[in-house]
Amino acid sequence: MVRPCFFDNNGMKKGAWSNVEDDKLRAYVLRYGHWNWRMLPKYAGLARCGKSCRLRWVNYLKPGLKRGNFTKEEENFIMELHNQLGNKWSAIAANLPGRTDNEIKNYWHTHKKRCNKRKEAATQVEVAQTIENPPSEIETLKESENLMLSPNTANWIARDTTSLDLISVSQDNSWPETFLPITCTSQGNMLPAVPDPFELSSELNFSELSCPDFSMLSDLHWVGDDSVNSSDYGFLGNFWNEPNETNYLLPVEEANPFSPYISYFDDFMVNVS
DNA sequence: AATGTCCGCAACCGCCTGGAT
DNA sequence: GATCCAGGCGGTTGCGGACAT
């Protein structure tokens, strides 16, 4: 898993380090120290840039570096420190003797990826179970067609009654408590207008009405609206009948970022709260 | 056995910081 | 105070081994 080496336009070698280069760098630094990384490769007889030498030394050649997998204790410590410090890899590494910031950063990214995958898989199961056995209160509300289940998460989505541009999102089948603004794409897709509804402060910033990469609600589209003729407005299916369908379309008026067809249900929240 | 896909990690890149001038 | 530059940092890339089909 090493990059093949090559020479750039300045004659500097790039890519994987050979054993001979490692030996030269190690020998030089151990004997003379790294008094100037930029000048060092010249004196050490290396066709590398100073930065490359420093990185190789710090991440690979420096004595005392541990290699191999992180122990459980180290993993826990990284979690703890990341909670405190965020992405301050060098600060985290300073607390883990023998580990480099690069190593910790790599570990964190793969760990995050693994967690996301697990979460995604768990959510799929949860969605399937929730569709199969909806809680009774939600089952009732569903009838009103103001409530539906996100196909990507197990969150129930309720239409808001007092405003055109709010919907509610619930977690864990509890009644929705969080409101978030949504926007409507030119294709008629509903998108959340804030990055993460569960991290909202009490004060929403309604000026930030775009969130292209928030996937949670990106496939959500209102369907089953009695007052809209589906053939007129291009519905491709029914959300309740086809929970896995992700290609529903919603009629949209270009002039209004929020579709008028989500405003029909004025008493909804009053009825249930 | 061949092929495709995923994943880990070394290395690169660009930006930031702080000390020297 | 302005500029330069080395060192440091965090984000990203891309190769190749491991694993799945």
Side-chain angles (χ1 to χ4, degrees):
Chain A
M1 62 184 91
V2 287
R3 298 181 185 208
C5 50
F6 64 97
F7 289 86
D8 69 7
N9 294 336
N10 301 319
M12 288 294 176
K13 196 174 174 188
K14 303 261 181 181
W17 281 67
S18 68
N19 290 337
V20 174
E21 288 177 306
D22 280 346
D23 290 343
K24 280 183 180 176
L25 180 59
R26 188 186 294 109
Y28 188 90
V29 175
L30 287 176
R31 182 158 187 191
Y32 302 106
H34 45 84
W35 47 278
N36 183 323
W37 283 114
R38 177 171 272 203
M39 300 300 286
L40 187 146
K42 185 180 159 193
Y43 290 95
L46 291 161
R48 297 274 183 173
C49 68
K51 263 189 160 186
S52 182
C53 292
R54 179 189 159 272
L55 213 62
R56 185 64 179 172
W57 174 257
V58 168
N59 289 329
Y60 199 80
L61 297 176
K62 203 163 109 181
L65 291 182
K66 286 183 195 169
R67 321 270 340 146
N69 295 338
F70 285 90
T71 65
K72 259 276 161 280
E73 289 73 31
E74 285 176 321
E75 288 180 0
N76 292 337
F77 200 34
I78 291 171
M79 299 296 160
E80 198 182 317
L81 289 170
H82 190 269
N83 276 341
Q84 290 172 24
L85 304 168
N87 293 3
K88 303 284 177 198
W89 308 119
S90 56
I92 295 172
N95 289 284
L96 283 159
R99 299 296 187 180
T100 68
D101 54 353
N102 206 34
E103 215 176 355
I104 294 168
K105 184 170 55 182
N106 283 335
Y107 165 76
W108 184 259
H109 285 143
T110 51
H111 165 81
K112 218 166 76 174
K113 242 190 269 179
R114 272 202 298 265
C115 279
N116 286 343
K117 275 205 156 179
R118 271 204 293 271
K119 203 171 153 192
E120 212 173 276
T123 299
Q124 291 304 320
V125 171
E126 202 185 333
V127 167
Q129 287 170 349
T130 311
I131 289 169
E132 192 69 29
N133 301 303
S136 58
E137 57 169 335
I138 284 178
E139 183 63 34
T140 312
L141 293 168
K142 211 175 71 176
E143 306 285 326
S144 70
E145 292 172 348
N146 288 320
L147 191 71
M148 62 189 193
L149 187 69
S150 161
N152 296 330
T153 72
N155 297 316
W156 291 97
I157 316 296
R159 300 186 198 207
D160 180 56
T161 57
T162 55
S163 156
L164 298 188
D165 56 2
L166 288 176
I167 60 174
S168 316
V169 179
S170 72
Q171 288 185 81
D172 305 329
N173 296 331
S174 59
W175 179 248
E177 288 177 359
T178 308
F179 289 89
L180 73 157
I182 56 171
T183 187
C184 194
T185 69
S186 57
Q187 285 81 39
N189 298 336
M190 293 305 193
L191 296 173
V194 292
D196 188 335
F198 306 122
E199 288 178 5
L200 288 178
S201 65
S202 55
E203 290 181 7
L204 293 177
N205 183 356
F206 287 87
S207 62
E208 292 174 356
L209 291 178
S210 67
C211 182
D213 60 352
F214 180 36
S215 62
M216 180 181 135
L217 299 177
S218 59
D219 293 323
L220 253 187
H221 317 282
W222 299 112
V223 294
D225 187 335
D226 288 340
S227 55
V228 178
N229 182 325
S230 62
S231 61
D232 287 344
Y233 295 100
F235 288 129
L236 299 179
N238 182 293
F239 178 86
W240 299 113
N241 297 337
E242 301 170 38
N244 293 324
E245 174 60 64
T246 57
N247 201 22
Y248 296 104
L249 297 179
L250 187 81
V252 58
E253 295 216 329
E254 291 296 326
N256 185 349
F258 302 107
S259 167
Y261 301 106
I262 63 172
S263 63
Y264 295 142
F265 306 91
D266 291 332
D267 302 321
F268 180 50
M269 288 299 279
V270 175
N271 289 341
V272 299
S273 54

